[in-house]
Amino acid sequence: MKAIAVYEDGTEPVVIEKPRPEPGAGEALVRTLRVGVDGTDHEVIAGGHGGPPDGEDHIVLGHEAVGVVEEPNDTPFEVGDVVVPTVRRPPNGANEYFARGEPDMAPDGEYHERGIVGAHGFMAEYFTSPAEFLVEIPSEIAEWGFLVEPASITEKAIEHAFASRSAFHWEPDSALVLGNGSLGLLTVAMLDSKFDRLYCLGRRERPDPTIDVIESLGATYVNSNEVSVSDVPDRHEPMDFVYEATGYAPHAFETIEALAPNGVTALLGVPADWTFEVDGGRLHREIVLHNKALVGSVNSGYEHFEAAVDSLSGLSEAFLSKLVTGVHPLAEFEAAFVDDDTTIKTAVEFAAYEER
């Protein structure tokens, strides 16, 4: 079968030939439909994040996948079921985090991530997976199924942020999403039913397709070239919830000032090392005296994938069509990795869905 991989000494993804995998006990063989491309893939390609399985010189890319069950083997699935795989796998046998069903809470070294670190990904014509790591989705959203994984990341962040406010009566009205990339836009759409007023901050100037998407959702675009995160309360309003998806380290501290009393920020961006000055005493007082919170969140669990399926099913076809700016066949896979001002979200298509 064909797969898209990057070699340890390479700087570009390439198509390679690999044996079609054989499912083991408790595993299903899945025929891949589509696999999304995101910033993590670009980091893996650049060598700045993750790495191949032990003893191998390459890693098959892709962690945002959707496919159809080709061989159920001895799993509960049937031929033709549409499924989405979760990302994390136990590194060398199960550990306490996987035993508890909480692989997303495992620290570094206690997991592999398919297509990212220690395990091949799903950017191939076929893949196998234990049934416990496959989430069935409605066939009606098969073409958008590769968005379930990024949506699950947001589901977990929202869950953990709201849980941090569960000790008292909290009725949030305003939310600010930092980052107008594909995850930020998807999050704005997912938050629409939870907040009265939505804002999304980005660095792009008009005209720009991401700004068009933000405003089509009824949200307000905040240009960070004109308004800093710290200035948002004065220019707009204090925020009950801030979702940070930029990886821009100063934002983690600036959101403390952007929050309303009792507000919470979910931090998802992963910055490189960066030393800079902050007024730690002032920010500490803000957190304590106004009951503010910062919550870190990475990866997601099975239940977040299930919640993401429901959320994705509720999003309009018009929005999804604007979000996904390119689905490219395997023969033209390079186009899916182009990152320019006209690109929002792309995917590689290995096969078209055919209802059985």
Side-chain angles (χ1 to χ4, degrees):
M1 69 172 185
K2 288 181 170 58
I4 299 173
V6 63
Y7 283 88
E8 285 186 297
D9 59 354
T11 58
E12 298 290 339
V14 294
V15 174
I16 64 173
E17 292 282 347
K18 292 184 73 71
R20 174 171 153 169
E22 293 293 334
E27 292 186 331
L29 176 69
V30 180
R31 178 168 57 91
T32 309
L33 295 176
R34 293 178 173 182
V35 183
V37 176
D38 74 351
T40 300
D41 296 304
H42 287 286
E43 292 172 2
V44 173
I45 292 167
H49 186 59
D54 288 343
E56 300 201 39
D57 62 354
H58 69 282
I59 184 169
V60 175
L61 297 168
H63 57 280
E64 303 176 351
V66 59
V68 292
V69 175
E70 191 79 6
E71 295 179 13
N73 205 6
D74 54 354
T75 69
F77 297 103
E78 297 181 358
V79 173
D81 284 348
V82 184
V83 293
V84 169
T86 62
V87 179
R88 286 194 172 178
R89 300 290 184 272
N92 295 297
N95 56 43
E96 60 179 306
Y97 300 98
F98 285 84
R100 289 199 300 262
E102 298 174 346
D104 54 309
M105 303 308 295
D108 284 347
E110 297 293 332
Y111 61 82
H112 287 158
E113 289 182 329
R114 294 198 59 167
I116 302 173
V117 59
H120 289 306
F122 308 113
M123 210 168 270
E125 293 181 283
Y126 295 90
F127 64 86
T128 58
S129 174
E132 64 189 288
F133 300 124
L134 293 175
V135 180
E136 187 172 0
I137 72 171
S139 60
E140 291 79 12
I141 61 169
E143 66 176 312
W144 309 114
F146 63 93
L147 296 172
V148 169
E149 193 277 338
S152 75
I153 301 298
T154 292
E155 292 287 358
K156 177 186 175 180
I158 294 171
E159 178 190 69
H160 284 218
F162 274 61
S164 76
R165 310 291 81 190
S166 63
F168 58 91
H169 181 73
W170 189 55
E171 292 185 356
D173 293 317
S174 58
L176 169 65
V177 174
L178 304 184
N180 58 333
S182 60
L183 181 59
L185 299 183
L186 183 59
T187 299
V188 171
M190 293 170 63
L191 293 176
D192 186 48
S193 62
K194 295 179 171 63
F195 294 90
D196 292 335
R197 300 176 301 282
L198 287 172
Y199 302 81
C200 184
L201 179 139
R203 297 182 297 173
R204 296 191 179 188
E205 303 288 345
R206 300 174 189 272
D208 182 83
T210 66
I211 300 174
D212 294 340
V213 173
I214 291 165
E215 294 180 341
S216 73
L217 293 168
T220 299
Y221 178 64
V222 181
N223 188 333
S224 64
N225 298 312
E226 301 170 358
V227 181
S228 70
V229 174
S230 302
D231 290 336
V232 165
D234 291 333
R235 295 290 293 272
H236 296 282
E237 63 176 304
M239 298 294 156
D240 296 313
F241 176 56
V242 177
Y243 178 101
E244 182 278 318
T246 64
Y248 182 69
H251 280 169
F253 301 92
E254 293 169 351
T255 63
I256 298 171
E257 297 178 284
L259 287 172
N262 304 323
V264 56
T265 291
L267 301 173
L268 288 90
V270 182
D273 291 347
W274 190 350
T275 301
F276 51 89
E277 291 187 4
V278 297
D279 187 339
R282 179 168 54 84
L283 296 178
H284 192 157
R285 288 196 305 275
E286 275 293 308
I287 292 173
V288 173
L289 297 180
H290 297 289
N291 293 303
K292 298 179 180 181
L294 302 180
V295 176
S297 182
V298 66
N299 200 256
S300 54
Y302 191 95
E303 69 277 13
H304 306 118
F305 274 74
E306 291 183 314
V309 173
D310 290 338
S311 293
L312 191 63
S313 298
L315 298 182
S316 72
E317 191 85 10
F319 164 72
L320 295 171
S321 297
K322 293 176 184 176
L323 180 72
V324 179
T325 51
V327 176
H328 305 279
L330 179 59
E332 301 170 7
F333 79 94
E334 295 95 340
F337 291 88
V338 173
D339 188 14
D340 58 27
D341 288 344
T342 65
T343 301
I344 301 179
K345 184 67 178 179
T346 62
V348 178
E349 184 173 76
F350 287 84
Y353 174 66
E354 298 177 1
E355 191 168 356
R356 302 190 183 186

